[in-house]
């Protein structure tokens, strides 16, 4: 069985992530979404909230058979632990390349048995990021074309709960 790991912050999951996930699901026997507990930026949602949102978004989109886990520490250790032969990463515009190139070659250096597979997201999502979605929602914009309804509701609830404590520059 060929297992792939799809890691990320997913803070929160967007239709761009879901597009990549659908493509990866077609290529591998089993797909595991891995939500990192401590991403580079301070997340708006906790790891458990992000995991739950991925699960709810998959259900809303009618996508089944995808396992969702959280992980801390090295991505490549997580991949090894679940028996993945590949790590899937979504590529948007060329702006992603330098960062993804560094991640991929570092991970290959850490474990040459696990490949990084890049999948191009659909053109309509090539501009999309979790950060831009949060910023649009924070300032009252419509994000219904960018995220599933469950994510939009979670953003509304989170911003309402945080009130003035939301730091727009930390999204
Ligand atoms: O959604 P993101 O933030 O682009 O995902 C980046 C992520 C979480 C895949 C990457 O930061 C990661 O794997 N972090 C875990 C720590 C790690 O393995 N760092 C070295 C990567 S070469």
């Amino acid at each position: 069985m060929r297992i792939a790991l799809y890691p990320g912050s997913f803070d929160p999951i967007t239709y761009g992530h879901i597009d990549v996930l659908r493509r990866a699901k077609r290529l591998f026997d089993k797909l595991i979404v891995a939500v990192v507990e401590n991403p580079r930026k301070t997340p708006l949602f906790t790891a458990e909230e992000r995991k739950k949102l991925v699960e709810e978004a998959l259900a809303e989109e009618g996508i089944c058979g995808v396992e969702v886990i959280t992980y801390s520490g090295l991505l490549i250790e997580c991949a090894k632990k679940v028996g993945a032969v590949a790590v899937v990463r979504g590529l948007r515009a060329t702006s992603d390349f330098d960062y993804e190139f560094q991640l991929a070659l570092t991970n290959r250096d850490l474990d040459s048995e696990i490949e990084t597979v890049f999948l191009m997201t659909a053109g309509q999502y090539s501009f999309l990021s979790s950060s831009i979605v949060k910023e649009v929602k924070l300032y009252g914009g419509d994000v219904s074309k960018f995220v599933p309804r469950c994510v939009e509701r979670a953003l509304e609830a989170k911003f309402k709960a945080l009130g003035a404590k939301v730091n727009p520059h930390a999204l």
Side-chain angles (χ1 to χ4, degrees):
M1 175 187 278
R2 303 183 79 68
I3 300 170
L5 196 76
Y6 180 23
S9 308
F10 302 106
D11 185 45
I13 188 169
T14 72
Y15 280 139
H17 294 124
I18 292 169
D19 179 75
V20 168
L21 190 149
R22 287 186 198 276
R23 297 172 192 278
K25 210 168 168 291
R26 286 200 293 268
L27 296 178
F28 294 93
D29 301 312
K30 181 176 180 183
L31 182 66
I32 300 172
V33 173
V35 176
V36 67
E37 290 179 9
N38 307 304
R40 290 175 171 213
K41 288 198 310 188
T42 309
L44 179 65
F45 294 101
T46 67
E48 270 316 304
E49 288 170 335
R50 287 178 278 136
K51 174 177 183 286
K52 188 164 168 284
L53 274 178
V54 172
E55 290 164 341
E56 287 175 2
L58 293 179
E60 187 174 318
E61 294 298 310
I63 300 170
C64 51
V66 176
E67 184 182 354
V68 186
I69 62 173
T70 60
Y71 76 98
S72 61
L74 284 176
L75 158 61
I76 208 70
E77 293 303 325
C78 175
K80 224 180 307 191
K81 191 171 152 198
V82 301
V85 292
V87 167
V88 170
R89 291 287 290 169
L91 269 187
R92 293 167 304 191
T94 51
S95 50
D96 280 344
F97 185 76
D98 288 349
Y99 172 57
E100 294 300 337
F101 182 76
Q102 187 183 31
L103 283 186
L105 291 194
T106 305
N107 281 326
R108 177 180 288 172
D109 205 52
L110 295 171
D111 186 324
S112 58
E113 296 299 303
I114 299 175
E115 290 296 342
T116 297
V117 172
F118 294 113
L119 294 176
M120 299 295 289
T121 188
Q124 72 213 64
Y125 302 128
S126 57
F127 64 92
L128 204 50
S129 71
S130 298
S131 299
I132 204 81
V133 167
K134 288 180 283 190
E135 186 165 339
V136 169
K137 188 64 186 173
L138 177 66
Y139 293 118
D142 175 12
V143 296
S144 58
K145 293 188 299 300
F146 305 147
V147 295
R149 186 78 191 99
C150 61
V151 173
E152 192 172 2
R153 281 196 302 268
L155 285 167
E156 283 160 6
K158 180 64 77 173
F159 287 146
K160 189 165 178 235
L162 289 174
K165 282 185 285 180
V166 177
N167 173 3
H169 305 294
L171 294 176

